[in-house]
Amino acid sequence: MEFKIVDVFKRSVTIELESDTCFCQEKTYDIRIDDRIITTDKNVVSVTGLLPDHEYEIVVEFDGVKSNRCFRTQAESYLLNVKAFGAKGDGITNDTPAIQAAISACPENGTVLLPAGTYYVTPLFLKSNMTLWLDEGATLLGDNNREHYPIMPGMVRSTDEKDEFNLGTWEGNPLDSFASLITGIDLENVDIVGPGTLDGNAQNADWWVNPKVKRVAWRPNILYLCRCNNVRVQNIKVQNSPAWNVHPYYCDNLAFLNLHIQNPSDSPNTDGLDPESCKDVLVLGTVISVGDDCMAIKSGKYYMSLNHHKATENMVIRNCKFEKGHGSVTVGSEAAGGVKNIRVSQCIFDGTDRGLRIKTRRGRGERSVLDDIVFEKIKMNGVHMPFTVNMFYFCDPDGHSDYVQSQKEAPVDEMTPVIGSIIARDIVCEDVNACVLCAVGLPERPIEKLVLENIKASFLPESEQVPERPVMMDNFQEMKGRSVYAKNVSELVIRNVTIQGASDSEPECIGVAKTDVDGLRYDG
């Protein structure tokens, strides 16, 4: 089995098998480096415990066939152990001053090490050109008292009142929010590596009580990166976040490798990984199970798009597994800046409510162009509604207003969003409940193109199906066992699609200007 080296760090490396399987292999294989053997079935693997500035040979042995690659780890200037700065790691002492001192003192290209232990902290602020290393058994545990958290102002005016400086954000708007457990502002060249844990400790605080009520400031993330460039996060466990777990914001050149993000399934607004107005993002080998969308790709609301416009673009999500969540990979709804060139492949969606989930609404604006989004080579198991596209999403205070929800054609103006090309191909969906595809465009701005190609979908037995509303909009019926529902679509393409166990026997198309159906088959 051939493999490639994805990224080399100071003391670790991430590799990826060159395989067409989703997330993992059917059998285990061995990775050999020095005298170590790692047995795994995963397609993406991070090997830790290496030394800086050393040459290594890594060998993958699969079914008796070996392939090898050589690499050199990155150099490291200094290694600073937080315990030398006074950190206790006993889970009781406030270790924030000691760890922050180590970070502040870290020289260029240095590493701050957290050895095994539980470090009780309030938010920590990183600096550029450094590595934060949480070793095996190391946990950063969030303080459970919100009064101990600094506030990130949403927007600060420049002294000459010509410019704005944005720090805090909440659901697409520049609003005061608490600093996150790990916070990075205007950083470059930063690595955050494991295999330790970032634990927001939200279950032992009041973050999830009245979650939609602002109390002093809005809830924090666990990891928040604001206007950062060249940041890599590898082999970290992230859990129990007060709000979104990992939130890159106006960042470029990001890599998230072998993360494991987990929150209780009933924890509110705890999205797993939400890149917002970011460019060139790679997500590999990551497992997410949370209380909201596993991943939500965003680009802010109208104010940010109008005054600080930046689209989210050029994102690759591959060999990942998305479990509990409202959506596996979502685009929107706070995407006023636009989202384009998204590739999701070789992933497993296991038990999420929706698989591919696109959501927007009137008011997002003409820059909200969601286009060139491709999902391919995916296995969906127990995903209730594999493909949903909704241009009437009822979020925000005016979400249920007639302006957002009216089914009558409205004027196309500067507040009208666009959904361009959405493609789903080479996908198997088992144990579907409500519908295979539910797509609802605006009458004044239909969804431009939807493609389902090489899809095999099978429903739960009828006795196990439960009516559900596939898209969150007003006055929309619940469904179960439905195959394809499309409304207000310019072009619908269905090629080589097999649907088993549906309650209907043909697509329901309303206001679909052009259909290209070839090889659609209904079984039993």
Side-chain angles (χ1 to χ4, degrees), residues 418-437:
V418 176
I419 292 182
S421 171
I422 311 294
I423 298 174
R425 61 191 176 210
D426 302 325
I427 297 174
V428 176
C429 313
E430 297 180 345
D431 293 339
V432 179
N433 180 61
C435 62
V436 176
L437 168 68

Side-chain angles (χ1 to χ4, degrees), residues 253-306:
N253 303 309
L254 305 174
F256 299 96
L257 312 174
N258 287 125
L259 273 64
H260 193 119
I261 301 173
Q262 187 168 8
N263 259 59
S265 60
D266 61 350
S267 54
N269 306 108
T270 54
D271 294 15
L273 173 54
D274 286 12
E276 181 173 357
S277 297
C278 293
K279 182 179 180 181
D280 298 327
V281 181
L282 176 64
V283 183
L284 291 183
T286 288
V287 179
I288 303 179
S289 179
V290 289
D292 208 316
D293 292 322
C294 292
M295 283 194 66
I297 302 167
K298 302 176 180 290
S299 57
K301 290 181 181 172
Y302 188 73
Y303 179 87
M304 292 303 291
S305 175
L306 184 65

Side-chain angles (χ1 to χ4, degrees), residues 20-36:
D20 287 335
T21 64
C22 296
F23 183 67
C24 61
Q25 299 294 308
E26 293 182 356
K27 61 176 73 174
T28 60
Y29 66 97
D30 290 338
I31 301 171
R32 301 174 185 268
I33 188 164
D34 286 345
D35 57 351
R36 296 167 56 195

Side-chain angles (χ1 to χ4, degrees), residues 308-329:
H308 303 273
H309 177 253
K310 183 176 182 177
T312 290
E313 56 186 325
N314 307 340
M315 184 177 304
V316 172
I317 302 164
R318 190 171 63 240
N319 276 314
C320 295
K321 186 176 184 181
F322 302 116
E323 299 176 327
K324 297 296 182 183
H326 294 174
S328 294
V329 178

